[in-house]
Amino acid sequence: MHMNSSLFSDSLVILGAAGLIIPAFARFRISPVIGFILAGAVLGPKALGSLVTEYPWLKHITISDPDGIEPFADFGIVLMLFSIGIELSFKRLWAMRQAVFGLGTGKLLGCGFLIGAGLYALGENWAGAIGMGLALSVSSTALVLPLVGTTGPVGKNAFAILLFEDLALVPIIFALGAMAPYGQDNRWDGLIATIWQGGATVIAILVLGRFALPTLFAQAARTKSAEVFLSISLLVVILASVATSAMGLSPIVGALTAGLLIAETDYHVEVEMVILPFQRLALGVFLLTVGMSLDLRLIMANWQALALGVAGVVLVKTLVTSTLLRLSHVRLATAVESGLLMSAPSETTLVILATARQAQLIMPSTAAFWEIVTAIGLTITPLLAKIGHKVSLKLTLREHNLTLPSNEEPIEDIENHTIVAGIGRVGKVIADVLTSEKKPYLAIDSDIDLVINAKRDGYHATFGDISNPVFIQQLGNKINAVVLAINDPVSMVNVVHRLHTIYPDLTIIARASDSRHAAQLFRAGATDIVAETLESSLRLAEATLISLGVSTGHAVAAIHDKRASMRENVLKAAEEGNMQAIRHTPSIMPEA
């Protein structure tokens, strides 16, 4: 590749954007999804890229060839479905069959009918209305699943619906082709052939993979080389994707199948680790291409019509999805959050619209309008997810007769209480010990589901965010100590700093992930630290000494001395601000 080629220049811009966007947006707790889309809109050929002829220096900070990076964007979606497959299992997928084909079918057909009927009423021909209705009904796998995952209440339902929509993509495309003015009956024959050939291909992948993959990855494991693992993992996902694509199915079907196969092996954790950086970077490229499809000047010129289009699609999909979930006995809060999360169009909407345009079912100008609506919808998906989460929180609080703390009044009438921040597994153990010793406590957590479950189990818990400065000030001076049992290392350091600043004499006991984190917490003002890995290492060493015949008292004394030595090392590093001083202290993170 020539150093002055557009692909080389675009690659530098993409890597630079990724290196700046992810840390910057993470610092402000904003989804990097928004950052990538905005970067694409600004750096793409429809914004700063259009000024390259006037200002040649802009070519070094803009993306000049969107078509050249599109394959990498598609690969990002493929790798994401591969990673999702690794997290799943055939047993779990079988258990989801009713949600996949029940909720998925209902959402696609329900939204497609209502949106199509609305477009038909506005003067669109019936074939075009059907095509656009189906196109706008699908939701974004690439954006939704990274936002909510696949294991929570919202994530499970979202994944089931999205999986059906991905499977339905091929039948939709064939059906639109058959509806074309020049369509022939053999298009339906082609659909049937694709279904059985694709099904046979998936079965072949499953059979071959079940026998070949364990041996293949066992050989890779013997080399103890991460590069070999990465190469074989990419080879498997690419071959599976190419195989299903050659049979007319979506390549993501092959990627998901390959992931499911690897999930059944002993190597799924290692494969997921080596693939993850590539998957995230490639997905970032996809988001950049979404941003590049936004023509900001065209949007400003037609903002009213575009706003109505986006609002109409979001409203219909929210109502249909929420209603279906409620009929499936899903909680109202979860149903509404899921509905808002999946209310925007999808990247596959662009594929279906292009098919409808090529089949002459819709005019090119109509397709262009709804493509812009789709790009806007993809851009606001993280915002819709945030709104959905806030609405869900309020509905959940109302359902369980809970209230958010006000900004003026204290949280509760507490006196000499210990605040336990985090009521998960660790927080509950701390609360149990405090209760056994008749020490009053109040557990707080920003996860309303954890609070509800804790209250149901008899714990003294309330909803609140310990990282909120207003909340910290509401604690008052009537607390004895704060125990931080939350699992967010970056946030915990900030919380300790704020607590120590407002209450300099307050006892702050924090849970550290490793020795480096412990040093940061001490420097921020923590009174005492319990580093998880250090304590587990010491307990393991103690058990080892006793099993080797060392007396219990001597073993306990030896471990006590070692703990004191390690603590002194961490404190010294914290005072000096020198992380190198704890280089040899055990850590849960591998050394680079």
Side-chain angles (χ1 to χ4, degrees):
M1 181 173 60
H2 195 272
M3 294 290 287
N4 294 323
S5 70
S6 61
L7 184 59
F8 184 82
S9 175
D10 291 347
S11 299
L12 290 178
V13 173
I14 292 169
L15 292 174
L20 294 175
I21 289 170
I22 294 177
F25 277 69
R27 182 176 182 83
F28 295 101
R29 294 190 176 184
I30 301 174
S31 172
V33 170
I34 299 178
F36 277 115
I37 293 177
L38 292 178
V42 173
L43 303 177
K46 296 179 180 178
L48 289 179
S50 63
L51 303 176
V52 170
T53 53
E54 299 178 30
Y55 305 98
W57 59 271
L58 284 175
K59 70 178 182 180
H60 301 295
I61 60 171
T62 57
I63 299 174
S64 57
D65 185 16
D67 294 335
I69 65 173
E70 189 171 347
F72 299 100
D74 296 337
F75 193 50
I77 301 175
V78 167
L79 286 180
M80 186 189 69
L81 266 294
F82 177 64
S83 299
I84 290 171
I86 294 176
E87 295 176 1
L88 289 172
S89 65
F90 286 108
K91 183 178 179 181
R92 182 184 169 196
L93 197 59
W94 178 253
M96 295 172 57
R97 64 190 184 280
Q98 289 184 332
V100 171
F101 293 100
L103 291 174
T105 303
K107 189 248 185 184
L108 181 64
L109 297 182
C111 294
F113 173 77
L114 291 178
I115 295 174
L119 293 171
Y120 182 76
L122 292 174
E124 190 64 46
N125 66 80
W126 69 270
I130 291 175
M132 286 189 291
L134 292 173
L136 296 168
S137 296
V138 296
S139 302
S140 175
T141 301
L143 293 186
V144 169
L145 294 184
L147 290 172
V148 296
T150 62
T151 56
V154 176
K156 288 179 181 177
N157 294 318
F159 177 69
I161 294 172
L162 291 168
L163 180 57
F164 176 82
E165 290 177 353
D166 289 335
L167 294 173
L169 177 60
V170 172
I172 289 174
I173 291 175
F174 271 93
L176 293 179
M179 290 164 58
Y182 53 83
Q184 303 294 328
D185 291 339
N186 59 11
R187 287 186 175 270
W188 295 108
D189 296 336
L191 173 59
I192 295 172
T194 297
I195 291 175
W196 80 258
Q197 289 175 359
T201 302
V202 170
I203 293 173
I205 293 174
L206 292 174
V207 173
L208 291 174
R210 181 63 62 91
F211 292 102
L213 288 184
T215 302
L216 194 62
F217 280 108
Q219 294 297 328
R222 291 189 181 96
T223 66
K224 297 182 180 181
S225 171
E227 292 80 4
V228 175
F229 246 98
L230 175 61
S231 300
I232 293 178
S233 301
L234 292 176
L235 177 65
V236 169
V237 66
I238 291 173
L239 285 177
S241 300
V242 169
T244 55
S245 181
M247 293 298 105
L249 293 178
S250 171
I252 63 178
V253 175
L256 182 64
T257 304
L260 286 168
L261 279 170
I262 292 177
E264 302 295 326
T265 70
D266 296 328
Y267 310 100
H268 62 279
V269 175
E270 182 70 20
V271 173
E272 189 173 9
M273 289 178 60
V274 299
I275 284 289
L276 188 59
F278 292 89
Q279 181 245 313
R280 289 180 174 174
L281 181 59
L283 190 59
V285 176
F286 163 75
L287 296 172
L288 285 171
T289 62
V290 171
M292 286 187 284
S293 66
L294 293 172
D295 190 332
L296 300 180
R297 283 169 288 195
L298 185 60
I299 292 174
M300 294 302 296
N302 300 275
W303 69 270
Q304 291 176 319
L306 291 169
L308 287 174
V310 173
V313 172
V314 168
L315 179 62
V316 169
K317 294 176 71 174
T318 300
L319 291 175
V320 171
T321 306
S322 301
T323 301
L324 287 171
L325 290 171
R326 285 294 289 159
L327 293 175
S328 302
H329 308 292
V330 174
R331 287 195 312 122
L332 177 61
T334 302
V336 172
E337 183 176 359
S338 302
L340 278 167
L341 175 71
M342 303 182 67
S343 60
S346 165
E347 61 279 358
T348 54
T349 299
L350 304 174
V351 177
I352 300 174
L353 286 174
T355 302
R357 183 182 67 245
Q358 292 169 1
Q360 300 178 15
L361 300 179
I362 58 176
M363 297 290 292
S365 58
T366 304
F369 174 84
W370 289 108
E371 285 170 356
I372 296 176
V373 168
T374 299
I376 295 173
L378 288 169
T379 304
I380 65 173
T381 294
L383 177 62
L384 292 171
K386 195 168 187 177
I387 294 173
H389 183 69
K390 290 186 175 180
V391 172
S392 174
L393 174 60
K394 291 183 178 180
L395 291 173
T396 303
L397 291 171
R398 185 194 306 171
E399 179 184 353
H400 294 274
N401 295 320
L402 297 172
T403 57
L404 289 169
S406 67
N407 290 338
E408 294 83 13
E409 300 177 359
I411 304 165
E412 286 194 22
D413 186 15
I414 53 178
E415 185 72 37
N416 296 325
H417 278 57
T418 296
I419 300 296
V420 179
I423 193 61
R425 174 180 52 84
V426 176
K428 285 183 176 180
V429 172
I430 297 170
D432 289 337
V433 174
L434 291 172
T435 301
S436 67
E437 297 298 322
K438 295 182 174 54
K439 299 293 184 181
Y441 73 90
L442 174 65
I444 58 176
D445 204 300
S446 59
D447 188 328
I448 189 61
D449 292 322
L450 288 178
V451 173
I452 292 170
N453 291 333
K455 290 173 75 72
R456 187 182 298 122
D457 294 337
Y459 291 93
H460 188 201
T462 189
F463 176 83
D465 186 0
I466 192 66
S467 65
N468 187 342
V470 175
F471 190 91
I472 292 175
Q473 291 176 350
Q474 291 173 356
L475 294 175
N477 294 307
K478 297 181 179 180
I479 54 177
N480 283 336
V482 173
V483 182
L484 298 176
I486 55 179
N487 189 20
D488 187 346
V490 176
S491 175
M492 194 180 296
V493 173
N494 295 330
V495 170
V496 170
H497 177 72
R498 290 194 186 110
L499 284 170
H500 184 67
T501 301
I502 299 174
Y503 309 111
D505 298 326
L506 178 65
T507 298
I508 305 172
I509 304 169
R511 164 193 180 189
S513 58
D514 54 36
S515 54
R516 294 167 180 78
H517 187 212
Q520 293 172 351
L521 291 169
F522 271 126
R523 199 160 56 247
T527 309
D528 202 356
I529 300 295
V530 177
E532 295 175 346
T533 308
L534 270 61
E535 285 302 316
S536 61
S537 301
L538 291 171
R539 292 300 299 273
L540 185 61
E542 180 182 336
T544 302
L545 290 176
I546 294 174
S547 66
L548 293 175
V550 178
S551 65
T552 302
H554 188 76
V556 171
I559 297 301
H560 178 76
D561 292 341
K562 182 60 178 176
R563 181 184 289 109
S565 174
M566 295 168 70
R567 177 184 172 83
E568 183 180 353
N569 191 23
V570 172
L571 282 171
K572 181 179 179 182
E575 292 172 358
E576 298 176 354
N578 180 16
M579 294 296 102
Q580 297 298 324
I582 53 174
R583 178 182 296 273
H584 301 294
T585 306
S587 168
I588 61 169
M589 298 298 292
E591 293 288 338

